Amino acid sequence: MASVPSVAVPVAASGFPAAGGADSRRPPPSSVAAADKNNWSGRSVHAAQNGGTVEAPLRPLDFGEAMDMLREGKKVQSAMYVPLLHGCVETGTLGGARALHGHMVKTGTSADMFVATSLVNAYMRCGACQDARSLFDQMPEKNVVTWTALITGYTLNSQLVEALEVFVEMLEAGRYPSHYTLGAMLNACSASNNADLGNQVHGYTIKYDALSITSIGNSLCRLYAKSGSLESAMRAFRMVPDKNVITWTTMISACAEDKNYTELGLTLFVDMLMDGVIPNEFTLTSVMSLCGTRLDLNLGKQVQAFSFKIGCQTNVPVNNSTMYLYLRKGETEEAMRLFEGMDDVSIITWNAMISGYAQIMETAKDDLHARSRGFEALKIFRNLKRSAMKPDLFTFSSILSVCSVMMALEQGEQIHAQTIKTGFLSDVVVNSALVNMYNKCGCIEDTTKAFVEMSTRTLVTWTSMISGYSQHGRPQEAIQLFEDMRFAGVKPNEITFVSVLSACSYAGLVDKAEHYFNMMKEEYKIEPVVDHYGCMIDMFVRLGQLDDAFSFIKRTGFEPNEAIWSSLVAGCRSHGNMDLAFYAADRLLELQPKGVETYVLLLNMYISNERWHDVARVRKLMKQEDLGILRDRSWITIKDKVYFFRANDKTHELSDELYQLLENLLEKAKTIGFEPYQNAELSDSEDDEKPPAGSVKHHSERLAVALGLIQTPPGATVRVTKNITMCRDCHSSIKFFSLLVNREIVVRDSKRLHKFKDGRCSCGDFGALL
């Protein structure tokens, strides 16, 4: 049993003899001092034995000795129970509290309101809410402390409705709450997100003139901040006359949770220092989070130095937030150095590292950089599994998102097995991440299975599944699932409508698409954005209704962006309407596009139509924009090893076999209808300003596919990731490859997922723009 402060109690001389030489009529000075310091034991205490009361010396007894004495049936005065109950609270010993309760009933002490209130508090602190309530109801007399103990206990045990009900009972009984009661009620309102009742309690604080009490002000700040009303929280903050570190930290933390108040949070931190209040580790953690939101590494380093100054350099939460800031700024070496130098880490530390690398992947300057960071995240996850700590739901959701971006199916499947083993698969966050991972890896059957097995689904999960069906060329399933979602009472958002409109576009369902487009505006009051317009135009272009596409733009009055004009250029070119293609190209150039792929699209079109003047114009614009060159990169993972390819790459040890296989496949493809396209290429060489048309014979994805066909078992799916959009020539050739080798080939490029099977692609042959 854990040690607790010694309890000075009197015992009968015959039962517990005094120390030799001590005056039996006079307690030692140290015991008297201890009794004087404790307001619970300020009364004289006696032990009764053989029907009479005998004075006994006070001497410190530990918790176990005191409990043994009570079990022997010795009668004590009520003051002794309070420190013993406190010992039960500190050790979480519910059995000890119940034993004391039994002794109190036996000796008649339970009628003492003072002791009974302490017992109510002990039961609540030990989690025995029913025992506390039963005792409370049996008490013949209650004061405000008793009511407050019950309210506070329910709040601590997350039984917030019961806490609010007790407060109402208290008022109906004609009792006046103290500021401790009001503080407990504000905490209950905050924990239950009941801002309306919180406002009423706020009124009581005004009525009883409690606003000047710092703890009440802190509770009000916390209540309004948690309910999302930072303005009300600031008003309460300004009314606190004596702000302590909790007051300042509450407001700074609230600002850290809302990116719109980043500057206010940092200003409050400066004001706090100017006011002479020393921040604690919670303050510094929130301030570092503010630096992360602002992406201000210089300020973060100053805060880090300050944390060293006040002795928080080893604090885990502070180090976690500092490390996460370094990762968000791409300072991976500094973050890793800090991580490896930490003597004490928590699961939050591991999660910060993994999620930090995951965020770097999303903002990486190129795919090679993103993929290398993904491997670092997987390496950290493996190290976590080898440590004494266990992954939690945030770990699994973060690492699954990494697998999604990398299209790392094998690793994702292993993590899926671990979520089953650890029981986290039942969590909706982990399950949603699993659905997204299988979707991004091109495994729509596994995606469906994971979705169907979910006990609870969020809007994000529904939307991800609808998007998955749409991307995999299953528009009817996407539309049906959208209707099922609405039937289940889930309200779609603008992203959900993008997915269902994309499905309508793929299926060419004009009436259905217009129905959903109008539903979005009229029924759900969602204003269309460029993605919604893009889906509608994409549908008209797929169907060859080019005039309708331009009419839609004119009718709705929206301004197409670079992506939509590029889609129109590619679509008009594909359908042979070059007049509209050249018109769309002129509109596209007016936007001064920044993407090098856009210029390659235009170059291909102009070269194929021998418009050399326009070719020279586009090349001049590219030079003016200093766009550099189009770097063609692809990756394939085979048995946990990643292989990297460039266009015309011959660095692989099997390059001769790869090229021979591709030559054989292309020759066979030509016999069954494959016709090569001639494209304008931008080579990987910085010195090549104008490579000749068709200079690159094999783009990176074809080489990666060839390696997959050689090194994976017959019938296995080949999965490749590409950093830019597939060209028409590669797209067409890989379609034929899938038919010739009877394999499923998945290529995820910068725009969409292409699933090639039996000579068809899931994009409906509309995914290759270049």
Side-chain angles (χ1 to χ4, degrees):
M1 182 175 294
S3 61
V4 297
S6 300
V7 182
V9 296
V11 296
S14 58
F16 293 89
D23 186 348
S24 63
R25 295 168 298 175
R26 196 173 185 181
S30 61
S31 297
V32 175
D36 289 342
K37 287 181 180 178
N38 193 331
N39 62 347
W40 302 113
S41 52
R43 315 172 195 177
S44 61
V45 290
H46 301 80
Q49 188 175 17
N50 300 325
T53 301
V54 180
E55 290 281 352
L58 284 175
R59 72 174 183 84
L61 297 179
D62 65 21
F63 184 81
E65 288 178 317
M67 291 297 293
D68 288 341
M69 189 183 76
L70 294 180
R71 291 190 188 98
E72 291 174 5
K74 293 181 172 59
K75 183 176 181 181
V76 299
Q77 290 195 353
S78 59
M80 177 181 173
Y81 291 105
V82 176
L84 291 176
L85 287 169
H86 179 68
C88 294
V89 170
E90 286 191 337
T91 58
T93 311
L94 177 59
R98 285 174 172 162
L100 288 171
H101 188 183
H103 193 275
M104 290 162 57
V105 172
K106 183 178 179 181
T107 58
T109 316
S110 59
D112 187 317
M113 181 183 66
F114 178 73
V115 177
T117 298
S118 296
L119 183 57
V120 169
N121 178 66
Y123 274 143
M124 280 297 188
R125 300 278 175 168
C126 291
C129 298
Q130 290 185 348
D131 289 356
R133 181 69 208 216
S134 176
L135 174 62
F136 177 86
D137 291 337
Q138 294 172 17
M139 291 176 63
E141 187 179 0
K142 309 176 187 73
N143 61 11
V144 66
V145 178
T146 315
W147 288 94
T148 303
L150 195 64
I151 293 170
T152 304
Y154 276 130
T155 304
L156 289 173
N157 286 280
S158 300
Q159 297 188 21
L160 306 174
V161 174
E162 288 80 357
L164 303 179
E165 289 174 348
V166 172
F167 181 67
V168 174
E169 288 179 33
M170 177 183 179
L171 297 178
E172 290 176 347
R175 301 287 184 172
Y176 294 99
S178 67
H179 70 272
Y180 294 108
T181 318
L182 295 173
M185 273 307 302
L186 288 171
N187 291 336
C189 294
S190 177
S192 62
N193 290 316
N194 194 333
D196 293 335
L197 184 58
N199 288 329
Q200 297 179 46
V201 179
H202 188 177
Y204 276 102
T205 66
I206 298 173
K207 178 179 179 180
Y208 294 112
D209 195 26
L211 283 178
S212 60
I213 299 173
T214 301
S215 61
I216 293 294
N218 294 346
S219 297
L220 284 169
C221 291
R222 189 180 306 111
L223 168 70
Y224 289 121
K226 191 171 181 182
S227 65
S229 179
L230 265 293
E231 293 81 3
S232 298
M234 278 302 298
R235 282 195 293 271
F237 172 79
R238 294 189 186 101
M239 294 182 69
V240 181
D242 299 317
K243 300 177 180 66
N244 59 17
V245 65
I246 298 175
T247 320
W248 290 98
T249 302
T250 299
M251 286 310 303
I252 293 171
S253 300
C255 293
E257 294 176 3
D258 190 332
K259 63 181 180 180
N260 296 318
Y261 291 91
T262 300
E263 297 304 320
L264 174 60
L266 293 172
T267 301
L268 287 172
F269 179 61
V270 174
D271 292 344
M272 174 185 182
L273 297 178
M274 295 294 290
D275 206 37
V277 179
I278 303 299
N280 58 21
E281 64 270 23
F282 303 106
T283 322
L284 293 174
T285 302
S286 296
V287 172
M288 197 62 78
S289 178
L290 290 166
C291 295
T293 303
R294 197 182 184 190
L295 292 178
D296 193 334
L297 186 58
N298 290 331
L299 182 59
K301 288 181 177 179
Q302 294 179 47
V303 176
Q304 184 184 17
F306 184 78
S307 70
F308 275 68
K309 183 178 179 180
I310 63 173
C312 289
Q313 66 271 22
T314 60
N315 184 267
V316 175
V318 174
N319 282 333
N320 289 347
S321 55
T322 305
M323 185 179 63
Y324 193 62
L325 170 62
Y326 278 123
L327 287 170
R328 292 199 64 186
K329 289 294 292 183
E331 300 285 341
T332 54
E333 291 183 2
E334 286 294 329
M336 187 59 72
R337 188 179 297 113
L338 180 60
F339 174 69
E340 292 175 345
M342 293 173 65
D343 296 326
D344 186 21
V345 297
S346 65
I347 188 60
I348 298 174
T349 313
W350 291 95
N351 290 345
M353 287 295 290
I354 294 171
S355 62
Y357 275 109
Q359 287 204 4
I360 291 176
M361 293 179 69
E362 297 175 2
T363 58
K365 60 184 178 181
D366 56 54
D367 286 82
L368 183 60
H369 187 256
R371 187 162 288 268
S372 67
R373 297 301 178 254
F375 282 117
E376 287 295 330
L378 288 170
K379 181 180 177 182
I380 293 168
F381 180 71
R382 284 195 296 269
N383 291 337
L384 167 60
K385 290 194 297 177
R386 295 179 186 135
S387 72
M389 291 190 179
K390 303 297 182 184
D392 63 7
L393 65 95
F394 299 105
T395 320
F396 285 119
S397 62
S398 294
I399 199 64
L400 283 170
S401 71
V402 170
C403 294
S404 300
V405 176
M406 297 179 65
M407 208 161 77
L409 178 62
E410 292 181 21
Q411 291 87 345
E413 288 175 333
Q414 294 170 16
I415 294 166
H416 183 183
Q418 292 170 39
T419 63
I420 297 173
K421 183 178 179 180
T422 56
F424 283 110
L425 185 60
S426 59
D427 183 86
V428 66
V429 175
V430 175
N431 226 321
S432 297
L434 191 66
V435 168
N436 184 58
M437 186 275 294
Y438 280 124
N439 181 25
K440 292 289 182 67
C441 290
C443 303
I444 191 62
E445 289 78 13
D446 291 323
T447 306
T448 304
K449 186 174 184 292
F451 177 81
V452 169
E453 291 176 351
M454 293 182 70
S455 57
T456 305
R457 303 183 183 100
T458 64
L459 173 60
V460 173
T461 316
W462 285 98
T463 301
S464 180
M465 193 67 238
I466 294 168
S467 174
Y469 280 135
S470 177
Q471 291 176 13
H472 285 79
R474 298 187 178 185
Q476 297 298 338
E477 286 97 326
I479 293 169
Q480 182 58 54
L481 190 63
F482 177 76
E483 294 297 340
D484 291 344
M485 182 190 76
R486 295 179 64 226
F487 183 76
V490 180
K491 184 178 178 181
N493 63 10
E494 63 179 37
I495 301 175
T496 318
F497 275 105
V498 169
S499 298
V500 74
L501 288 174
S502 177
C504 294
S505 169
Y506 182 92
L509 302 174
V510 177
D511 293 340
K512 202 81 169 175
E514 291 179 341
H515 168 70
Y516 287 133
F517 191 82
N518 293 329
M519 175 194 293
M520 175 181 66
K521 294 188 296 182
E522 296 169 7
E523 183 175 343
Y524 293 100
K525 309 302 179 186
I526 298 173
E527 286 300 316
V529 295
V530 66
D531 289 338
H532 301 119
Y533 290 117
C535 289
M536 297 297 290
I537 292 170
D538 179 80
M539 175 184 63
F540 290 123
V541 173
R542 280 176 180 267
L543 294 172
Q545 299 175 7
L546 304 177
D547 291 333
D548 291 337
F550 284 92
S551 296
F552 180 81
I553 294 173
K554 185 176 181 180
R555 185 172 73 251
T556 55
F558 88 103
E559 293 293 332
N561 62 5
E562 180 179 334
I564 292 178
W565 282 122
S566 297
S567 176
L568 283 166
V569 169
C572 293
R573 180 187 175 199
S574 177
H575 289 292
N577 192 330
M578 298 313 300
D579 289 337
L580 284 178
F582 295 142
Y583 170 80
D586 289 339
R587 303 290 79 74
L588 178 57
L589 288 172
E590 288 175 1
L591 297 178
Q592 297 181 327
K594 304 300 180 184
V596 65
E597 288 186 65
T598 302
Y599 289 97
V600 174
L601 167 68
L602 295 176
L603 277 177
N604 282 331
M605 181 181 69
Y606 289 138
I607 288 173
S608 63
N609 286 273
E610 299 183 349
R611 292 173 66 106
W612 307 116
H613 173 74
D614 289 323
V615 171
R617 179 167 62 111
V618 171
R619 288 194 182 280
K620 182 179 179 181
L621 288 172
M622 292 178 69
K623 193 171 183 179
Q624 290 175 352
E625 295 291 337
D626 192 25
L627 293 175
I629 59 177
L630 185 63
R631 300 185 182 278
D632 177 14
R633 305 284 189 272
S634 290
W635 296 265
I636 183 170
T637 303
I638 301 173
K639 294 181 179 178
D640 288 336
K641 187 174 181 180
V642 178
Y643 299 89
F644 164 83
F645 290 94
R646 298 182 176 89
N648 262 2
D649 199 333
K650 294 187 178 181
T651 59
H652 195 278
E653 58 183 7
L654 298 178
S655 61
D656 291 340
E657 293 183 46
L658 300 182
Y659 279 86
Q660 186 61 52
L661 174 61
L662 289 175
E663 292 299 327
N664 293 339
L665 288 173
L666 287 172
E667 287 301 319
K668 291 179 181 179
K670 290 176 183 177
T671 63
I672 56 175
F674 169 63
E675 295 182 2
Y677 291 90
Q678 187 181 44
N679 295 315
E681 303 291 352
L682 297 181
S683 86
D684 283 342
S685 172
E686 296 283 359
D687 299 327
D688 273 340
E689 183 180 342
K690 287 197 312 179
S695 62
V696 176
K697 189 168 186 179
H698 293 304
H699 282 151
S700 60
E701 68 269 38
R702 282 214 295 226
L703 293 167
V705 167
L707 181 65
L709 293 175
I710 290 174
Q711 292 199 336
T712 58
T717 300
V718 176
R719 289 183 171 82
V720 173
T721 307
K722 183 176 174 67
N723 68 325
I724 58 175
T725 307
M726 293 185 73
C727 72
R728 299 167 74 186
D729 187 62
C730 288
H731 187 274
S732 179
S733 64
I734 294 176
K735 273 201 313 177
F736 282 95
F737 292 174
S738 70
L739 179 63
L740 289 169
V741 299
N742 193 27
R743 292 271 205 113
E744 183 177 87
I745 302 172
V746 177
V747 179
R748 197 174 77 198
D749 66 15
S750 61
K751 292 287 191 293
R752 68 186 75 208
L753 182 139
H754 303 268
K755 192 171 185 178
F756 301 95
K757 188 175 182 180
D758 299 328
R760 296 185 178 86
C761 179
S762 60
C763 74
D765 293 344
F766 201 73
L769 298 180
L770 301 183

